[in-house]
Amino acid sequence: MSQKQQLERVLDIDRRIRAGLYPHPDRLAREWGVSRRVLFKDRDFLISNLGAPLVFDKVRRGWAYTDKTWGLPSALLTEGELLALVLGVECAKRYAGTALETPLRSAVAKVTQGLRGPVSVDLNTLRQGFSVSPPSAQGAPEETLRALLNAIRDRKLVKMRYYAAYKREEAEREVQPVHLVNREGDWYLVAFDRSRDGFRYFHAGRIRSLKVLGRALRPRPQAEVEAFLSKSFQVLAGAKEEEVGIRFDAEQAPYVRDRLWHLSQRIQERPDGGLVLRFRTAGLIGVRRWVLQYGPHAEVLEPESLRDQVSREAEGTAKLYAKPPARAKRWA
């Protein structure tokens, strides 16, 4: 008999007892179409696993609770489900940012405490059986993420002091937060920047100070938000969408073929075992950084502007390695 069916019977038994119906196992077995032995297994589960003060009332000829204040746990999880939850938390801790470790662990503790019986997980023992490599992410404080989520929910304007890495300077910005994106452990805020009349990405870890303003705004149309996200490439987006074509040789093609790099991507197979990846995006800066990591195994076919940028970067790298390395200064 499945665990789902047993759970349904256990909930029905509990409901009848609380209604003062004093359910009899023989009658329950007939109604459920199961054997009397199955019903007594349900009784044993209630007593042994859930700690139910269950007895047979000889006067009323049915089951009852000796403690009417006792209640079923709010969560009924199998050990496998609890293990899956813990594994999910360990993965989320590394990819959602260590700032969320404390509330994540607290959530698991509350679920575990809600269970009755021998179902438990030793986190230290569990960690010996798996590992998740943490990304090299720039952390964002928990209070920043919480404030941004509240601002998104309440449609509030946010005034923040933000460090723009490409400008190497801090500046005050007033933006309307609409979405949070986690990419490889880094949190990015998608917000409508009214001074620039458009959506922008902001790295949550570079927000130096944050103040949620009181006035609620009209929500930005969801279609606008989705359009901005769809034209981005690895949390970078410019003003103009362009068609991108990149040829990968046979050595790198297997690693490119089976992954989703962009929602608009199309793949053209080549007779030599390579492929051409095509998609439309406004995030050419992100594409340039991405394609350079493949070295001579990837060639930008279009647009011409991106091909020129990658070519200049490659030439600069070649010149750098054409001369002996500079001696590094030793520090005491």
Side-chain angles (χ1 to χ4, degrees), residues 145-203:
L145 296 177
R146 188 165 55 243
L148 291 174
L149 282 170
N150 289 340
I152 292 170
R153 180 196 63 197
D154 299 334
R155 306 195 306 274
K156 295 293 183 67
L157 195 67
V158 164
K159 178 183 283 188
M160 63 184 183
R161 188 155 191 84
Y162 183 74
Y163 174 73
Y166 70 100
K167 289 184 178 180
R168 299 181 184 178
E169 65 180 25
E170 291 185 13
E172 282 199 348
R173 309 283 281 270
E174 279 195 9
V175 300
Q176 181 180 355
V178 295
H179 193 71
L180 276 171
V181 176
N182 186 278
R183 174 163 178 78
E184 297 180 353
D186 283 303
W187 282 105
Y188 293 88
L189 170 68
V190 179
F192 187 82
D193 190 330
R194 297 198 295 179
S195 65
R196 291 163 175 77
D197 194 30
F199 292 99
R200 294 290 187 274
Y201 282 104
F202 299 93
H203 194 299

Side-chain angles (χ1 to χ4, degrees), residues 12 20 23 29 41 75 79 97 118 124 126 163 168 183 213 297 331:
D12 184 47
K41 281 189 175 181
E79 187 167 10
N124 291 325
L126 180 60
Y163 174 73
R168 299 181 184 178
R183 174 163 178 78
L213 304 181
H297 302 288
W331 299 93

Side-chain angles (χ1 to χ4, degrees), residues 47-68:
I47 296 172
S48 301
N49 291 66
L50 303 181
L54 183 64
V55 296
F56 186 82
D57 189 310
K58 294 181 180 180
V59 176
R60 303 285 188 142
R61 295 192 55 78
W63 284 334
Y65 292 144
T66 57
D67 180 2
K68 296 186 183 301

Side-chain angles (χ1 to χ4, degrees), residues 214-225:
R215 185 167 59 90
L217 304 173
R218 286 185 301 174
R220 304 298 310 182
Q222 188 61 29
E224 290 183 7
V225 180

Side-chain angles (χ1 to χ4, degrees), residues 29-54:
R30 288 194 299 271
E31 290 183 17
W32 277 94
V34 296
S35 68
R36 191 170 185 268
R37 179 168 166 269
V38 168
L39 261 297
F40 275 91
K41 281 189 175 181
D42 294 339
R43 180 205 63 178
D44 293 342
F45 178 81
L46 272 161
I47 296 172
S48 301
N49 291 66
L50 303 181
L54 183 64

Side-chain angles (χ1 to χ4, degrees), residues 59-330:
V59 176
R60 303 285 188 142
R61 295 192 55 78
W63 284 334
Y65 292 144
T66 57
D67 180 2
K68 296 186 183 301
T69 65
W70 180 87
L72 285 171
S74 58
L76 295 175
L77 299 179
T78 66
E79 187 167 10
E81 289 169 333
L82 186 57
L83 284 171
L85 175 62
V86 174
L87 286 169
V89 167
E90 292 299 307
C91 292
K93 182 188 71 177
R94 287 162 174 78
Y95 281 88
T98 54
L100 297 180
E101 179 175 0
T102 299
L104 284 168
R105 288 191 178 280
S106 174
V108 172
K110 288 178 180 178
V111 171
T112 305
Q113 289 167 7
L115 298 173
R116 309 289 175 87
V119 178
S120 62
V121 173
D122 180 358
L123 293 181
N124 291 325
T125 302
L126 180 60
R127 288 195 194 96
Q128 296 174 8
F130 80 99
S131 63
V132 180
S133 299
S136 55
Q138 180 181 354
E142 179 190 340
E143 56 270 20
T144 297
L145 296 177
R146 188 165 55 243
L148 291 174
L149 282 170
N150 289 340
I152 292 170
R153 180 196 63 197
D154 299 334
R155 306 195 306 274
K156 295 293 183 67
L157 195 67
V158 164
K159 178 183 283 188
M160 63 184 183
R161 188 155 191 84
Y162 183 74
Y163 174 73
Y166 70 100
K167 289 184 178 180
R168 299 181 184 178
E169 65 180 25
E170 291 185 13
E172 282 199 348
R173 309 283 281 270
E174 279 195 9
V175 300
Q176 181 180 355
V178 295
H179 193 71
L180 276 171
V181 176
N182 186 278
R183 174 163 178 78
E184 297 180 353
D186 283 303
W187 282 105
Y188 293 88
L189 170 68
V190 179
F192 187 82
D193 190 330
R194 297 198 295 179
S195 65
R196 291 163 175 77
D197 194 30
F199 292 99
R200 294 290 187 274
Y201 282 104
F202 299 93
H203 194 299
R206 299 192 191 113
I207 298 175
R208 302 298 190 237
S209 62
L210 177 70
K211 181 180 180 181
V212 179
L213 304 181
R215 185 167 59 90
L217 304 173
R218 286 185 301 174
R220 304 298 310 182
Q222 188 61 29
E224 290 183 7
V225 180
E226 291 176 358
F228 175 77
L229 293 171
S230 67
K231 74 178 184 178
S232 307
F233 188 85
Q234 297 186 355
V235 296
L236 288 168
K240 179 185 176 184
E241 274 192 279
E242 297 188 64
E243 180 75 12
V244 173
I246 305 167
R247 181 187 64 81
F248 291 90
D249 64 15
E251 181 177 329
Q252 285 298 323
Y255 305 103
V256 175
R257 183 177 288 113
D258 297 329
R259 294 187 63 182
L260 180 65
W261 302 101
H262 196 271
L263 291 175
S264 67
Q265 75 179 40
R266 293 99 60 206
I267 290 179
Q268 299 172 346
E269 298 291 346
R270 291 172 52 87
D272 61 2
L275 60 83
V276 175
L277 178 69
R278 297 187 181 277
F279 52 90
R280 289 191 62 81
T281 182
L284 293 188
I285 296 175
V287 178
R288 185 191 73 205
R289 294 176 181 175
W290 174 68
V291 77
L292 280 166
Q293 68 183 299
Y294 293 98
H297 302 288
E299 177 189 4
V300 174
L301 304 178
E302 57 180 326
E304 194 65 32
S305 61
L306 178 60
R307 183 180 174 88
D308 290 342
Q309 291 173 25
V310 173
S311 175
R312 287 195 298 269
E313 292 269 3
E315 288 174 3
T317 302
K319 289 179 182 178
L320 184 66
Y321 283 93
K323 56 186 178 181
R327 288 176 178 258
K329 184 181 291 185
R330 292 188 176 183

